[in-house]
């Protein structure tokens, strides 16, 4: 009882000890904030990556891919049918994107993904990231250019992005306007020439020459090229294409997106064809074709937004010459698999690895695909935690020093308590309890401070930006408009417990010293 | 005597049986609820044989080391305190009076010799038993009062009970304990200063609070180390009156150390400590 009472009285009368817990408090608050922000980022990233990638993907080792996706999907269903919710075949190839802005020619190296409009939405959140509301509806995905109605205000929650005024123009209206402008330009510079492009002819020729060697290319690729003498850009569109938003725009530091191209503009893709020369020593030939942007894809993962380009799978198969003319089945090189909620991705992966020959197929989960990135974030969090915990450890030494002083100051009182029959362990208990209460006070206040900071972190960032005149959180770098935070109660419990442990550990030495004080020495009055 | 109170539970009788005439020195209001006897005598010690000697120091030797030099303070001191006696130990400064008192109170261990309390050797008891002995069977007062500055007068008086009892027992019997502390504070004339911190009290008041604290667990033996050494004459006399009254009416055994012959004269018996030996004064 006297322990509690004295603890309490010491707490209320020794303000210097309260000063020593300020560092505990700051340490705890900082750790909570850092952990919340780091897990916010990790969480946001994971959910985005997971939204973009399917749960499990079966890929062909062969660049050309494998025929008959339906047969493969049946086999997948046989191997792990009970945990599979949906599947879609895709073709993924590297490609070169080329477009013109005024007189500037811009090329981008992209990952070209041929998707099946009907089943793509079954395996990932692909549709959720599109900019036209109708494309986002279930089953509403279309590679036809919309009349208008693209999002001016970002539909994704908590983005806080500035309105994209240019998007209001996007659609057929923009296409017609651009075509008229082009017509006018042509007239201006080539009064005798028409609107004929020299490119398609060249492409067709090349494709034709290729067809002789390539058995898969029996359907002449030229047939898929809608470009012809009669192509009217004001009324017709090329094959549709969905482009990562960062390929089409750049973001200024104030968070405004500036678009170079809009849905309705035409771009050109250069794609490697399937099938190698007979000697297998020549690389794949390339073929190019025109596409019309019909929508933008914005996952807010800049890595994906700046390299993904989606086209209809049959269009890509035809372009690459991978459709079997006898039965119309095209080659695909990966199958995306969506699992039922709660299914174990790693288990399904292992089952599929057993079912498909490892030399020909690679099976991986989305975590495997992004393992390095997720690992890096976890690593960063761990290192930061270690460093910040050092702050609390330093605070522990502060407590140690102040406690030793208090023990010296209280020498006489300790002697009195012993003469009244208090045991050494009892005296020790006073100081351990004192340390614990300081720890509780410090980590408690620190916890509240940290949680408040996390709660209002964006406001704090705004104020800091305003005071320092520098952006604390630059959305043009992170592609998040607001700082994402996640608070895990378990993490907070660990931090608080750690701080308490340090406070108690730091008070052990002074407490032992107090307990060992000889009552006569302590009482000696001179 | 019909008391059946054991040392280990000094307050057991607190609510039952009001005992004998209470010492009333300073304005004890009539009808104030009493919390039991001031001093509880162990019924086992009531037999004539045991009453003879309450505390005995046999051949006590103690030396202090300063570096390599050993300074002997006590050299085979023998002292015998009879039950209910008021014994004064006089001696010059540095004669080892306080050291002797510390040895008798088990605050320090003798180099040689033994301390015997009611026929039982106590100087070599395990630490825990010695702590319990000091808490239950012994009261101590000091020249500089040694009240805890963070606690109020009442809390200071309650401190030995808080120390001696587990937290549950203490909380359970808090009412009784508080009543006893109030009774003692009334007895020493401090009933009106319960909530004051020691620094708000005068020297005399602090020493009275210290006496109340020493008596709160109902010990039979009080060790007083220069209790009036820091007080003016009037206050010193009052303290001595309290001690004398406790000795006479409550049969409290008191061992008082002092350097002042005049103060020692208030005691039943005086011994002199010189050259590490006790001699009758």
């Amino acid at each position: 009882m006297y322990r509690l009472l004295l603890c309490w009285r010491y707490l209320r009368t020794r303000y210097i000890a309260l000063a020593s817990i300020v560092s505990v408090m700051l340490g705890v608050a900082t750790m909570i904030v850092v952990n919340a922000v780091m897990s916010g980022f990790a969480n946001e990233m994971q959910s985005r990556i997971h939204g973009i990638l399917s749960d499990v993907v079966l890929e062909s080792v062969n660049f050309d891919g494998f025929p008959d996706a339906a047969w493969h999907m049946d086999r997948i269903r046989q191997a792990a049918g009970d945990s599979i919710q949906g599947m879609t075949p895709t073709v993924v190839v590297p490609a070169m994107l080329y477009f013109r802005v005024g007189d500037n020619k811009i090329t981008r190296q992209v990952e070209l993904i041929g998707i099946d409009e009907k089943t793509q939405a079954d395996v990932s959140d692909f549709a959720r990231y599109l900019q036209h509301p109708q494309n986002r509806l279930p089953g509403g995905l279309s590679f036809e250019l919309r009349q208008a109605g693209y999002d001016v205000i970002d539909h994704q929650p908590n983005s806080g992005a500035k309105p994209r005024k240019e998007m209001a123009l996007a659609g057929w209206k923009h296409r017609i306007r651009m075509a008229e402008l082009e017509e006018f330009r042509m007239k201006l510079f080539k009064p005798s020439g028409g609107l004929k492009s020299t490119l398609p002819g060249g492409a067709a020729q090349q494709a034709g020459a290729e067809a002789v060697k390539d058995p898969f290319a029996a359907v002449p690729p030229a047939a898929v090229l809608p470009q012809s003498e009669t192509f009217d850009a004001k009324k017709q569109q090329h094959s549709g294409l969905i482009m990562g938003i960062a390929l089409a725009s750049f973001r200024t530091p104030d968070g405004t997106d500036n678009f170079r191209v809009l849905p309705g503009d035409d771009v050109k893709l250069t794609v490697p064809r399937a099938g190698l020369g007979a000697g297998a020593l020549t690389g794949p030939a390339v073929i190019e074709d025109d596409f019309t942007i019909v929508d933008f894809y914005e996952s807010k993962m800049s890595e994906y937004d700046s390299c993904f380009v989606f086209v209809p799978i049959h269009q890509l198969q035809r372009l690459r010459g991978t459709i079997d003319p006898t039965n119309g089945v095209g080659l695909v090189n990966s199958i995306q698999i969506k699992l039922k909620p709660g299914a174990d991705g790693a288990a399904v992966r292992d089952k599929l690895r057993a079912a498909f020959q490892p030399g020909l197929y690679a099976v991986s989960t989305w975590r495997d695909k992004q393992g390095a990135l997720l690992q890096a974030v976890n690593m960063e969090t761990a290192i930061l935690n270690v460093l910040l915990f050092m702050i609390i450890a330093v605070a522990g030494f502060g407590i140690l020093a102040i406690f030793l002083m208090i023990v010296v100051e209280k020498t006489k009182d300790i002697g009195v308590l012993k003469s009244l029959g208090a045991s050494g362990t009892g005296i020790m208990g006073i100081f351990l309890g004192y340390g614990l209460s300081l720890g509780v006070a410090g980590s408690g206040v620190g916890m509240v401070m940290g949680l408040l900071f996390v709660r209002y972190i964006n406001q704090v960032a705004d104020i800091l930006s305003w005071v320092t005149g520098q952006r604390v959180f630059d959305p043009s770098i992170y592609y998040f408009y607001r700082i994402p935070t996640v608070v895990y109660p378990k993490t907070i419990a660990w931090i608080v417990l750690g701080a308490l442990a340090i406070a108690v550990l730091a008070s052990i030495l002074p407490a032992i010293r107090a307990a060992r004080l000889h009552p006569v020495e302590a009482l000696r009055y001179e | 005597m019909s008391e059946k109170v054991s040392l280990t539970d000094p307050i057991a009788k607190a609510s039952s049986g009001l005992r004998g005439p209470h010492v009333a020195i300073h304005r004890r209001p009539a009808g104030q609820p009493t919390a039991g006897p001031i001093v509880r005598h162990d019924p086992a010690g009531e037999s004539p044989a045991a009453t003879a000697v309450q505390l005995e120091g046999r051949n006590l030797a103690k030396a202090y080391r300063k570096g390599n030099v050993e300074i002997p303070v006590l050299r085979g001191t023998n002292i015998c305190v009879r039950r209910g006696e008021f014994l004064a130990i006089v001696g010059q400064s540095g004669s080892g009076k306080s050291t002797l008192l510390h040895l008798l109170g088990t605050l320090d261990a003798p180099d040689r010799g033994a301390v015997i309390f009611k026929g039982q050797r106590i100087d070599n008891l395990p630490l825990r038993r010695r702590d319990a002995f000091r808490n239950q069977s012994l009261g101590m007062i000091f020249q500089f009062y040694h009240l805890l500055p963070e606690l109020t007068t009442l809390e200071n008086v309650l401190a030995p009970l808080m120390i001696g009892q587990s937290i549950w027992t203490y909380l359970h019997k808090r009412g009784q304990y508080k009543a006893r502390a109030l009774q003692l504070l009334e007895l020493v004339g401090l009933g009106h200063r319960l909530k004051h911190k020691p620094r708000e009290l005068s020297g005399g008041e602090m020493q009275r609070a210290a006496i109340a604290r020493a008596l709160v667990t109902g010990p039979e033996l009080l060790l007083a180390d220069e209790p009036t050494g820091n007080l003016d004459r009037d206050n010193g006399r009052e303290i001595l009156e309290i001690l004398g009254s406790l000795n006479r009416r409550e049969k409290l055994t008191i061992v008082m150390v002092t350097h002042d012959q005049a103060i020692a004269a208030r005691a039943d018996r005086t011994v002199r400590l010189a050259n590490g030996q006790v001699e009758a004064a």
Side-chain angles (χ1 to χ4, degrees), chain A residues 1-4, chain B residues 8-10 128 135-136 158-174 177:
Chain A
M1 184 65 205
Y2 68 108
R3 276 165 266 190
L4 292 180
Chain B
T8 49
D9 191 1
R128 197 168 286 276
N135 186 251
Q136 308 286 339
L158 284 169
L161 292 171
M162 296 188 200
I163 290 170
Q165 309 298 322
S166 76
I167 181 160
W168 305 121
T169 320
Y170 179 82
L171 289 177
H172 188 64
K173 297 193 177 172
R174 196 173 35 186
Y177 288 171

Side-chain angles (χ1 to χ4, degrees), chain B residues 21-93:
Chain B
H22 286 273
V23 222
I25 294 149
H26 286 278
R27 41 168 176 259
R28 183 182 153 245
Q32 182 82 11
T34 49
I38 305 302
V39 176
R40 288 172 181 73
H41 292 284
D42 184 357
E46 302 293 323
S47 63
T51 44
V53 176
Q54 179 145 31
L55 183 68
E56 192 184 355
R58 270 187 210 154
N59 201 23
L60 291 173
K62 183 78 186 172
Y64 288 111
R65 263 163 290 274
K66 279 219 168 111
N68 289 330
V69 190
E70 202 165 82
I71 304 160
V73 183
L74 300 177
R75 316 165 188 210
T77 310
N78 285 299
I79 189 163
C80 196
V81 185
R82 280 187 285 278
R83 184 176 186 75
E85 182 178 41
F86 189 168
L87 175 69
I89 302 172
V90 292
Q92 287 175 336
S93 295

Side-chain angles (χ1 to χ4, degrees), chain A residues 24 28 389 392-393 443 492-505:
Chain A
V24 174
V28 168
F389 207 72
I392 302 183
S443 49
I492 293 190
W494 273 114
I495 294 170
V496 168
L497 281 180
L500 290 185
I502 282 196
V504 171
L505 281 178

Side-chain angles (χ1 to χ4, degrees), chain B:
Chain B
M1 290 218 166
S2 58
E3 297 285 339
K4 291 229 167 24
V5 185
S6 75
L7 265 179
T8 49
D9 191 1
I11 315 297
K13 287 288 290 176
S15 50
S16 68
L18 297 178
R19 182 180 175 271
H22 286 273
V23 222
I25 294 149
H26 286 278
R27 41 168 176 259
R28 183 182 153 245
Q32 182 82 11
T34 49
I38 305 302
V39 176
R40 288 172 181 73
H41 292 284
D42 184 357
E46 302 293 323
S47 63
T51 44
V53 176
Q54 179 145 31
L55 183 68
E56 192 184 355
R58 270 187 210 154
N59 201 23
L60 291 173
K62 183 78 186 172
Y64 288 111
R65 263 163 290 274
K66 279 219 168 111
N68 289 330
V69 190
E70 202 165 82
I71 304 160
V73 183
L74 300 177
R75 316 165 188 210
T77 310
N78 285 299
I79 189 163
C80 196
V81 185
R82 280 187 285 278
R83 184 176 186 75
E85 182 178 41
F86 189 168
L87 175 69
I89 302 172
V90 292
Q92 287 175 336
S93 295
S95 59
K97 311 181 296 281
S98 293
T99 303
L100 179 59
L101 205 67
H102 290 150
L103 291 184
L104 292 177
T106 70
L107 279 180
D108 208 350
D111 296 340
R112 265 184 294 112
V115 180
I116 290 145
F117 179 74
K118 287 189 183 174
Q120 198 197 356
R121 192 168 169 191
I122 54 168
D123 61 291
N124 59 356
L125 285 177
L127 217 63
R128 197 168 286 276
R129 300 259 320 264
R130 272 187 281 160
D131 289 338
F133 165 76
R134 284 202 298 277
N135 186 251
Q136 308 286 339
S137 313
L138 196 68
M140 273 194 185
I141 55 177
F142 306 93
Q143 179 179 1
F144 292 100
Y145 335 119
H146 288 334
L147 298 175
L148 298 173
E150 278 83 12
L151 305 185
T152 63
T153 310
L154 181 62
E155 286 162 346
N156 262 296
V157 173
L158 284 169
L161 292 171
M162 296 188 200
I163 290 170
Q165 309 298 322
S166 76
I167 181 160
W168 305 121
T169 320
Y170 179 82
L171 289 177
H172 188 64
K173 297 193 177 172
R174 196 173 35 186
Q176 284 174 40
Y177 288 171
K178 211 166 173 180
R180 175 161 179 90
L182 289 173
Q183 183 200 2
L184 287 164
L185 281 167
E186 288 291 341
L187 176 74
V188 296
L190 273 184
H192 59 302
R193 313 222 62 176
L194 306 177
K195 296 278 172 220
H196 291 76
K197 293 278 170 71
R199 66 171 174 284
E200 294 157 348
L201 301 179
S202 72
E205 284 172 327
M206 281 197 266
Q207 194 62 295
R208 287 188 228 169
I211 292 174
R213 180 178 69 182
L215 295 178
V216 78
T217 57
E220 294 169 52
L221 178 65
L222 182 73
L223 301 182
D225 192 356
E226 302 261 20
T228 59
N230 218 36
L231 296 175
D232 59 52
R233 188 135 43 105
D234 287 351
N235 270 308
R237 201 179 56 233
E238 277 184 23
I239 296 297
L240 285 172
E241 262 169 30
I242 295 173
L243 292 181
S245 159
L246 284 166
N247 172 250
R248 279 191 311 278
R249 304 198 191 187
E250 302 289 327
K251 305 281 182 285
L252 178 71
T253 314
I254 299 176
V255 179
M256 179 173 71
V257 155
T258 179
H259 64 275
D260 188 338
Q261 204 71 50
I263 287 164
R266 314 268 312 206
D268 300 341
R269 184 163 72 96
T270 305
V271 293
R272 173 177 296 282
L273 194 61
N275 301 320
Q277 301 281 346
V278 166
E279 33 194 77

